[in-house]
């Protein structure tokens, strides 16, 4: 990853260095204590979290309805980003769940805070090592999530930045693609809109079949436009409470004669 002097990732690395934090998992609540940022919980209706900066005091208000600890950690790290990044100079940041959890917000300051949080909780030097050790699949995504104490989605996205595998992830809800992300060397176009009935994840939404094993699927079920492969690997992680699924797509080695095992960071 290349940082420039104004990148949110660089500010996250600067903060970790200044606090001499060298071990994982990183605890953003402890960082708030060091930075004298108070944390409290309230029944917020519109926001996931609010950062208040007033009269020299700093406070993060978290939605008390958030019970998933990895989600809380990422939210706190996101608010630290607003606090620490110099150009984030508002006195109030009211951050919605769609900005923090979707990872594809079009609000630039929220996107920067997400990048800051990802680097803070999953530092580049550590995630690079994991990417070299593991193939990109659902099992590895879960292992990395556990190791860094982050959510499955945050792990999948961060891992995707560094994997040498030709991989993509697709988040779907109610049988429709919400968003997708691709590794830098995944050159195919992912279909959007309603899921194809030829995908295995479609069975989760249609028939409530939560099969998390890896399957080979016809490439046309996931890929749009011109493509030169017949099959693609599909493996999903299901979130029944949200009626959502995170699907990992990878190109089978036998399908890709140009697969390159070398990867330069």
């Amino acid at each position: 990853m290349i940082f420039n002097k104004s990148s949110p990732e660089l500010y996250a690395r600067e903060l970790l260095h200044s606090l001499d934090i060298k071990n994982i998992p990183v605890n953003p609540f402890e960082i708030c204590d060091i930075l004298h940022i108070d944390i409290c919980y309230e029944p917020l209706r519109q926001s996931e979290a609010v950062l208040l900066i007033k009269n020299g005091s700093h406070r993060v208000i978290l939605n008390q309805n958030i019970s998933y600890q990895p989600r809380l950690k990422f939210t706190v790290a996101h608010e630290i980003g607003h606090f620490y990044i110099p150009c984030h100079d508002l006195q109030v940041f009211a951050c919605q769940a769609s900005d923090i959890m979707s990872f594809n917000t079009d609000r630039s300051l929220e996107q920067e805070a997400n990048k800051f949080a990802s680097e803070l909780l999953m530092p580049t030097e550590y995630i690079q090592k994991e990417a070299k050790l593991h193939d990109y699949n659902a099992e590895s995504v879960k292992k990395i999530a556990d190791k860094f104490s982050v959510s499955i989605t945050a792990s999948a996205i961060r891992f995707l930045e560094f994997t040498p595998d030709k991989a993509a992830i697709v988040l779907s809800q109610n049988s429709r693609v919400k968003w997708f992300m691709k590794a830098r060397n995944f050159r195919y176009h992912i279909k959007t809109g309603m899921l194809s009935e030829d995908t295995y994840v479609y069975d989760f939404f249609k028939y409530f079949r939560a099969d998390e094993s890896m399957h080979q699927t016809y490439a046309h079920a996931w890929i749009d436009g011109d493509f030169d492969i017949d099959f693609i690997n599909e493996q999903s992680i299901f979130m029944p409470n949200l009626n959502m699924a995170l699907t990992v797509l990878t190109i089978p080695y036998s399908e890709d004669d140009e697969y390159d095992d070398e990867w330069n960071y």
Side-chain angles (χ1 to χ4, degrees), residues 13 22 35 68 86 103 112 114 133 136 154 173 175 180 185 187 190 221 231 235 245 247 260 263:
R13 293 182 72 180
K22 298 178 181 178
L35 297 178
Y68 184 44
F103 296 91
E112 288 181 358
N114 277 342
L133 291 173
Y136 198 94
Q173 185 175 38
S175 301
F180 65 85
N185 58 351
R187 65 182 186 273
I190 302 295
F231 298 97
Q235 186 178 21
T247 302
D260 184 6
W263 185 255

Side-chain angles (χ1 to χ4, degrees), residues 79-109:
E79 299 308 321
I80 294 173
H82 284 314
F83 171 81
Y84 194 79
I85 299 172
C87 63
H88 292 217
D89 53 3
L90 301 178
Q91 290 187 316
V92 179
F93 282 94
C95 304
Q96 300 176 3
S98 58
D99 293 320
I100 300 174
M101 304 310 297
S102 70
F103 296 91
N104 65 342
T105 176
D106 57 2
R107 298 171 64 185
S108 61
L109 294 184

Side-chain angles (χ1 to χ4, degrees), residues 147-265:
K147 186 167 187 174
F148 289 85
S149 189
V150 297
S151 70
I152 293 292
T153 304
S155 169
I157 291 172
R158 189 68 167 144
F159 185 11
L160 195 69
E161 293 182 54
F162 297 99
T163 181
D165 294 334
K166 299 191 174 182
I169 53 175
V170 181
L171 186 75
S172 53
Q173 185 175 38
N174 302 322
S175 301
R176 178 177 289 274
V177 173
K178 286 181 65 68
W179 54 259
F180 65 85
M181 292 186 179
K182 303 189 293 184
R184 68 187 72 183
N185 58 351
F186 188 97
R187 65 182 186 273
Y188 304 100
H189 299 285
I190 302 295
K191 287 184 175 180
T192 57
M194 296 298 294
L195 289 168
S196 167
E197 295 183 15
D198 291 331
T199 64
Y200 282 87
V201 70
Y202 176 85
D203 292 345
F204 166 70
F205 296 107
K206 182 69 173 179
Y207 306 110
F208 308 105
R209 297 174 185 163
D211 181 0
E212 293 195 351
S213 57
M214 184 180 291
H215 299 277
Q216 281 203 347
T217 312
Y218 286 116
H220 68 76
W222 286 104
I223 297 175
D224 210 355
D226 296 328
F227 51 89
D228 54 1
I229 58 175
D230 295 320
F231 298 97
I232 193 167
N233 292 331
E234 172 189 340
Q235 186 178 21
S236 294
I237 301 170
F238 300 104
M239 297 166 263
N241 292 340
L242 300 173
N243 200 29
M244 297 171 67
L246 184 70
T247 302
V248 174
L249 301 175
T250 54
I251 306 302
Y253 293 168
S254 60
E255 286 283 323
D256 190 355
D257 294 334
E258 297 180 357
Y259 185 85
D260 184 6
D261 288 321
E262 297 297 324
W263 185 255
N264 297 314
Y265 290 102

Side-chain angles (χ1 to χ4, degrees), residues 132-152:
K132 291 178 180 178
L133 291 173
H134 301 291
D135 292 336
Y136 198 94
N137 54 46
E139 290 79 16
S140 296
V141 167
K142 291 178 181 179
K143 286 180 182 177
I144 290 173
D146 288 341
K147 186 167 187 174
F148 289 85
S149 189
V150 297
S151 70
I152 293 292

